[in-house]
Amino acid sequence: MDKVVEEVEKTKKGWDEAYSKTQQHIKEIQEYGNSTMEETKNKNSLPRLNGLAQDGLALLNSLQFNLDLLAPQLPTDDEVQSAKALLKTWRSQSQSLRMNLRNANLQAKDNMRKTAQKERELLLGGGEESTVRRRNLQTKAGMTSAAESITESLRRTRQLMVQEVERSTNTLMTFEESTGVLKKAESEYKGHRSLLSRTRNLLSTMQRHDVIDRIVLIVGFILFSCAVLYVVSKRIGILKLQRTITAAIKAGMAGKPELARKAVEEGINRGRFDGNVVPDKGLPLQQPMRDEL
């Protein structure tokens, strides 16, 4: 059998027991005061009977609440509808019990008034029976009053204990909720901490790559600059040689062979110290020079 169905059956059984007991207490309250004062004092007092009846009604309300919670959890729709109908019946029965309790208290007060009037008439009458009854009343009145005060004190103590138990239960539930929240926060903190550590490692790797990239760029720029300087320096030497030879050719064409020969000799001498200059192989001066670069 399903656990929910078992709980519903237990609730129904508890309702039947509590309902019958509460009805019995209400009946006792209704009959309270019909007998003589001595017989009435030997029974439970009216406040105690009222307390028992109120406890029964509170238990019935608790059972109604349990059934209201369990009804939607039943496995079939028929059982759910049956539980809801039963809950409606219980509510009407509980309301009827409250009305009966109110009427029973009114009836008990009326009975006590009538019984007290009868006792007063007997006490005011003469005879030995009246004297004995007066003595018994005087003796038992104090005992009854003390017993009622003790009962009321115990009842108040019980109510305080119930309140403390409920307060302790609420405190425990609050502690459990707080513990759950703390555990959840701890798990989230651990997840964030691992994420932060991974992020820190990635940042360190990126920083190392940035430094390496900068070094590579600087070295590449230096090498490129050296290559450019080397090419420019070589290019400037060739241009100087070309200008010298051109000047010599122009001078020879102008009728100054001495200057042309001197310019050519100077150009050749300079070319000896330049590794990129092609040596003179007897080529005619009019042959155009080619830039090897």
Side-chain angles (χ1 to χ4, degrees), residues 183-202:
K183 288 182 179 179
K184 184 178 180 181
E186 183 181 3
S187 63
E188 291 181 356
Y189 172 74
K190 288 181 179 179
H192 290 306
R193 184 173 60 182
S194 62
L195 181 60
L196 288 174
S197 63
R198 289 197 297 270
T199 305
R200 191 181 297 109
N201 294 332
L202 290 174

PDB file of all heavy atoms in Angstrom, residues 183-202:
ATOM      1  N   LYS A 183      25.225  25.569   3.288  1.00  0.00           N
ATOM      2  CA  LYS A 183      25.830  24.542   2.437  1.00  0.00           C
ATOM      3  C   LYS A 183      25.783  24.956   0.966  1.00  0.00           C
ATOM      4  O   LYS A 183      26.749  24.772   0.219  1.00  0.00           O
ATOM      5  CB  LYS A 183      25.111  23.218   2.637  1.00  0.00           C
ATOM      6  CG  LYS A 183      25.398  22.558   3.994  1.00  0.00           C
ATOM      7  CD  LYS A 183      24.686  21.226   4.112  1.00  0.00           C
ATOM      8  CE  LYS A 183      25.003  20.557   5.450  1.00  0.00           C
ATOM      9  NZ  LYS A 183      24.297  19.256   5.598  1.00  0.00           N
ATOM     10  N   LYS A 184      24.648  25.519   0.551  1.00  0.00           N
ATOM     11  CA  LYS A 184      24.529  25.969  -0.828  1.00  0.00           C
ATOM     12  C   LYS A 184      25.524  27.089  -1.117  1.00  0.00           C
ATOM     13  O   LYS A 184      26.171  27.101  -2.178  1.00  0.00           O
ATOM     14  CB  LYS A 184      23.098  26.446  -1.078  1.00  0.00           C
ATOM     15  CG  LYS A 184      22.823  26.854  -2.514  1.00  0.00           C
ATOM     16  CD  LYS A 184      21.372  27.259  -2.695  1.00  0.00           C
ATOM     17  CE  LYS A 184      21.090  27.677  -4.132  1.00  0.00           C
ATOM     18  NZ  LYS A 184      19.663  28.105  -4.297  1.00  0.00           N
ATOM     19  N   ALA A 185      25.658  28.021  -0.169  1.00  0.00           N
ATOM     20  CA  ALA A 185      26.610  29.119  -0.357  1.00  0.00           C
ATOM     21  C   ALA A 185      28.043  28.589  -0.422  1.00  0.00           C
ATOM     22  O   ALA A 185      28.862  29.076  -1.208  1.00  0.00           O
ATOM     23  CB  ALA A 185      26.470  30.134   0.784  1.00  0.00           C
ATOM     24  N   GLU A 186      28.333  27.569   0.402  1.00  0.00           N
ATOM     25  CA  GLU A 186      29.680  26.991   0.386  1.00  0.00           C
ATOM     26  C   GLU A 186      29.981  26.336  -0.957  1.00  0.00           C
ATOM     27  O   GLU A 186      31.069  26.492  -1.517  1.00  0.00           O
ATOM     28  CB  GLU A 186      29.801  25.963   1.508  1.00  0.00           C
ATOM     29  CG  GLU A 186      31.194  25.351   1.627  1.00  0.00           C
ATOM     30  CD  GLU A 186      31.266  24.328   2.742  1.00  0.00           C
ATOM     31  OE1 GLU A 186      30.221  24.060   3.364  1.00  0.00           O
ATOM     32  OE2 GLU A 186      32.362  23.806   2.978  1.00  0.00           O
ATOM     33  N   SER A 187      29.005  25.580  -1.488  1.00  0.00           N
ATOM     34  CA  SER A 187      29.213  24.941  -2.786  1.00  0.00           C
ATOM     35  C   SER A 187      29.413  25.986  -3.892  1.00  0.00           C
ATOM     36  O   SER A 187      30.278  25.845  -4.759  1.00  0.00           O
ATOM     37  CB  SER A 187      28.029  24.031  -3.113  1.00  0.00           C
ATOM     38  OG  SER A 187      26.834  24.785  -3.222  1.00  0.00           O
ATOM     39  N   GLU A 188      28.603  27.061  -3.844  1.00  0.00           N
ATOM     40  CA  GLU A 188      28.771  28.120  -4.843  1.00  0.00           C
ATOM     41  C   GLU A 188      30.131  28.800  -4.705  1.00  0.00           C
ATOM     42  O   GLU A 188      30.781  29.126  -5.705  1.00  0.00           O
ATOM     43  CB  GLU A 188      27.647  29.150  -4.695  1.00  0.00           C
ATOM     44  CG  GLU A 188      26.273  28.624  -5.100  1.00  0.00           C
ATOM     45  CD  GLU A 188      25.195  29.677  -4.955  1.00  0.00           C
ATOM     46  OE1 GLU A 188      25.526  30.779  -4.461  1.00  0.00           O
ATOM     47  OE2 GLU A 188      24.032  29.399  -5.330  1.00  0.00           O
ATOM     48  N   TYR A 189      30.581  28.982  -3.450  1.00  0.00           N
ATOM     49  CA  TYR A 189      31.889  29.602  -3.232  1.00  0.00           C
ATOM     50  C   TYR A 189      33.001  28.726  -3.796  1.00  0.00           C
ATOM     51  O   TYR A 189      33.957  29.223  -4.401  1.00  0.00           O
ATOM     52  CB  TYR A 189      32.095  29.844  -1.739  1.00  0.00           C
ATOM     53  CG  TYR A 189      33.492  30.302  -1.391  1.00  0.00           C
ATOM     54  CD1 TYR A 189      33.907  31.601  -1.689  1.00  0.00           C
ATOM     55  CD2 TYR A 189      34.393  29.438  -0.778  1.00  0.00           C
ATOM     56  CE1 TYR A 189      35.187  32.021  -1.387  1.00  0.00           C
ATOM     57  CE2 TYR A 189      35.672  29.850  -0.476  1.00  0.00           C
ATOM     58  CZ  TYR A 189      36.067  31.146  -0.778  1.00  0.00           C
ATOM     59  OH  TYR A 189      37.325  31.549  -0.479  1.00  0.00           O
ATOM     60  N   LYS A 190      32.884  27.403  -3.594  1.00  0.00           N
ATOM     61  CA  LYS A 190      33.902  26.504  -4.138  1.00  0.00           C
ATOM     62  C   LYS A 190      33.924  26.581  -5.666  1.00  0.00           C
ATOM     63  O   LYS A 190      35.003  26.589  -6.275  1.00  0.00           O
ATOM     64  CB  LYS A 190      33.619  25.074  -3.680  1.00  0.00           C
ATOM     65  CG  LYS A 190      33.898  24.840  -2.198  1.00  0.00           C
ATOM     66  CD  LYS A 190      33.616  23.398  -1.820  1.00  0.00           C
ATOM     67  CE  LYS A 190      33.906  23.158  -0.346  1.00  0.00           C
ATOM     68  NZ  LYS A 190      33.610  21.765   0.061  1.00  0.00           N
ATOM     69  N   GLY A 191      32.737  26.620  -6.288  1.00  0.00           N
ATOM     70  CA  GLY A 191      32.695  26.739  -7.734  1.00  0.00           C
ATOM     71  C   GLY A 191      33.322  28.037  -8.221  1.00  0.00           C
ATOM     72  O   GLY A 191      34.110  28.041  -9.185  1.00  0.00           O
ATOM     73  N   HIS A 192      33.021  29.158  -7.540  1.00  0.00           N
ATOM     74  CA  HIS A 192      33.621  30.438  -7.919  1.00  0.00           C
ATOM     75  C   HIS A 192      35.128  30.442  -7.688  1.00  0.00           C
ATOM     76  O   HIS A 192      35.879  31.040  -8.462  1.00  0.00           O
ATOM     77  CB  HIS A 192      32.965  31.580  -7.146  1.00  0.00           C
ATOM     78  CG  HIS A 192      31.549  31.858  -7.559  1.00  0.00           C
ATOM     79  ND1 HIS A 192      31.183  32.112  -8.862  1.00  0.00           N
ATOM     80  CD2 HIS A 192      30.393  31.905  -6.841  1.00  0.00           C
ATOM     81  CE1 HIS A 192      29.893  32.323  -8.945  1.00  0.00           C
ATOM     82  NE2 HIS A 192      29.373  32.189  -7.731  1.00  0.00           N
ATOM     83  N   ARG A 193      35.562  29.774  -6.610  1.00  0.00           N
ATOM     84  CA  ARG A 193      37.000  29.754  -6.326  1.00  0.00           C
ATOM     85  C   ARG A 193      37.753  29.005  -7.418  1.00  0.00           C
ATOM     86  O   ARG A 193      38.820  29.442  -7.879  1.00  0.00           O
ATOM     87  CB  ARG A 193      37.241  29.109  -4.963  1.00  0.00           C
ATOM     88  CG  ARG A 193      38.691  29.135  -4.528  1.00  0.00           C
ATOM     89  CD  ARG A 193      38.851  28.646  -3.113  1.00  0.00           C
ATOM     90  NE  ARG A 193      38.374  27.285  -2.955  1.00  0.00           N
ATOM     91  CZ  ARG A 193      38.357  26.623  -1.797  1.00  0.00           C
ATOM     92  NH1 ARG A 193      38.782  27.238  -0.697  1.00  0.00           N
ATOM     93  NH2 ARG A 193      37.913  25.402  -1.723  1.00  0.00           N
ATOM     94  N   SER A 194      37.227  27.850  -7.873  1.00  0.00           N
ATOM     95  CA  SER A 194      37.864  27.122  -8.960  1.00  0.00           C
ATOM     96  C   SER A 194      37.869  27.950 -10.245  1.00  0.00           C
ATOM     97  O   SER A 194      38.852  27.973 -10.998  1.00  0.00           O
ATOM     98  CB  SER A 194      37.148  25.785  -9.181  1.00  0.00           C
ATOM     99  OG  SER A 194      35.794  26.008  -9.559  1.00  0.00           O
ATOM    100  N   LEU A 195      36.746  28.654 -10.491  1.00  0.00           N
ATOM    101  CA  LEU A 195      36.684  29.509 -11.677  1.00  0.00           C
ATOM    102  C   LEU A 195      37.709  30.634 -11.597  1.00  0.00           C
ATOM    103  O   LEU A 195      38.382  30.959 -12.596  1.00  0.00           O
ATOM    104  CB  LEU A 195      35.274  30.088 -11.814  1.00  0.00           C
ATOM    105  CG  LEU A 195      35.009  30.995 -13.023  1.00  0.00           C
ATOM    106  CD1 LEU A 195      35.248  30.237 -14.316  1.00  0.00           C
ATOM    107  CD2 LEU A 195      33.602  31.545 -12.963  1.00  0.00           C
ATOM    108  N   LEU A 196      37.867  31.216 -10.414  1.00  0.00           N
ATOM    109  CA  LEU A 196      38.851  32.287 -10.249  1.00  0.00           C
ATOM    110  C   LEU A 196      40.272  31.769 -10.443  1.00  0.00           C
ATOM    111  O   LEU A 196      41.124  32.457 -11.024  1.00  0.00           O
ATOM    112  CB  LEU A 196      38.692  32.919  -8.861  1.00  0.00           C
ATOM    113  CG  LEU A 196      37.441  33.790  -8.651  1.00  0.00           C
ATOM    114  CD1 LEU A 196      37.353  34.217  -7.201  1.00  0.00           C
ATOM    115  CD2 LEU A 196      37.472  35.003  -9.561  1.00  0.00           C
ATOM    116  N   SER A 197      40.555  30.561  -9.936  1.00  0.00           N
ATOM    117  CA  SER A 197      41.892  29.997 -10.113  1.00  0.00           C
ATOM    118  C   SER A 197      42.182  29.747 -11.597  1.00  0.00           C
ATOM    119  O   SER A 197      43.290  30.043 -12.084  1.00  0.00           O
ATOM    120  CB  SER A 197      42.014  28.704  -9.314  1.00  0.00           C
ATOM    121  OG  SER A 197      41.104  27.730  -9.793  1.00  0.00           O
ATOM    122  N   ARG A 198      41.193  29.211 -12.334  1.00  0.00           N
ATOM    123  CA  ARG A 198      41.402  29.005 -13.766  1.00  0.00           C
ATOM    124  C   ARG A 198      41.612  30.336 -14.488  1.00  0.00           C
ATOM    125  O   ARG A 198      42.459  30.448 -15.383  1.00  0.00           O
ATOM    126  CB  ARG A 198      40.211  28.267 -14.356  1.00  0.00           C
ATOM    127  CG  ARG A 198      40.115  26.811 -13.938  1.00  0.00           C
ATOM    128  CD  ARG A 198      39.177  26.038 -14.849  1.00  0.00           C
ATOM    129  NE  ARG A 198      37.812  26.546 -14.775  1.00  0.00           N
ATOM    130  CZ  ARG A 198      36.902  26.105 -13.933  1.00  0.00           C
ATOM    131  NH1 ARG A 198      37.217  25.139 -13.071  1.00  0.00           N
ATOM    132  NH2 ARG A 198      35.673  26.589 -13.938  1.00  0.00           N
ATOM    133  N   THR A 199      40.825  31.342 -14.102  1.00  0.00           N
ATOM    134  CA  THR A 199      40.985  32.662 -14.715  1.00  0.00           C
ATOM    135  C   THR A 199      42.368  33.241 -14.431  1.00  0.00           C
ATOM    136  O   THR A 199      43.005  33.839 -15.308  1.00  0.00           O
ATOM    137  CB  THR A 199      39.897  33.609 -14.186  1.00  0.00           C
ATOM    138  OG1 THR A 199      38.610  33.026 -14.404  1.00  0.00           O
ATOM    139  CG2 THR A 199      39.964  34.947 -14.894  1.00  0.00           C
ATOM    140  N   ARG A 200      42.846  33.045 -13.191  1.00  0.00           N
ATOM    141  CA  ARG A 200      44.184  33.542 -12.834  1.00  0.00           C
ATOM    142  C   ARG A 200      45.265  32.850 -13.672  1.00  0.00           C
ATOM    143  O   ARG A 200      46.213  33.474 -14.146  1.00  0.00           O
ATOM    144  CB  ARG A 200      44.420  33.311 -11.349  1.00  0.00           C
ATOM    145  CG  ARG A 200      45.645  34.026 -10.809  1.00  0.00           C
ATOM    146  CD  ARG A 200      45.865  33.743  -9.340  1.00  0.00           C
ATOM    147  NE  ARG A 200      44.749  34.246  -8.547  1.00  0.00           N
ATOM    148  CZ  ARG A 200      43.850  33.486  -7.947  1.00  0.00           C
ATOM    149  NH1 ARG A 200      43.931  32.170  -8.044  1.00  0.00           N
ATOM    150  NH2 ARG A 200      42.887  34.016  -7.231  1.00  0.00           N
ATOM    151  N   ASN A 201      45.116  31.535 -13.861  1.00  0.00           N
ATOM    152  CA  ASN A 201      46.090  30.814 -14.684  1.00  0.00           C
ATOM    153  C   ASN A 201      46.071  31.306 -16.132  1.00  0.00           C
ATOM    154  O   ASN A 201      47.119  31.476 -16.775  1.00  0.00           O
ATOM    155  CB  ASN A 201      45.795  29.312 -14.637  1.00  0.00           C
ATOM    156  CG  ASN A 201      46.020  28.734 -13.262  1.00  0.00           C
ATOM    157  OD1 ASN A 201      46.839  29.236 -12.496  1.00  0.00           O
ATOM    158  ND2 ASN A 201      45.300  27.673 -12.916  1.00  0.00           N
ATOM    159  N   LEU A 202      44.857  31.549 -16.659  1.00  0.00           N
ATOM    160  CA  LEU A 202      44.761  32.058 -18.026  1.00  0.00           C
ATOM    161  C   LEU A 202      45.399  33.440 -18.158  1.00  0.00           C
ATOM    162  O   LEU A 202      46.078  33.737 -19.153  1.00  0.00           O
ATOM    163  CB  LEU A 202      43.289  32.109 -18.449  1.00  0.00           C
ATOM    164  CG  LEU A 202      42.589  30.763 -18.671  1.00  0.00           C
ATOM    165  CD1 LEU A 202      41.107  30.982 -18.947  1.00  0.00           C
ATOM    166  CD2 LEU A 202      43.226  30.016 -19.839  1.00  0.00           C
TER     167      LEU A 202
END
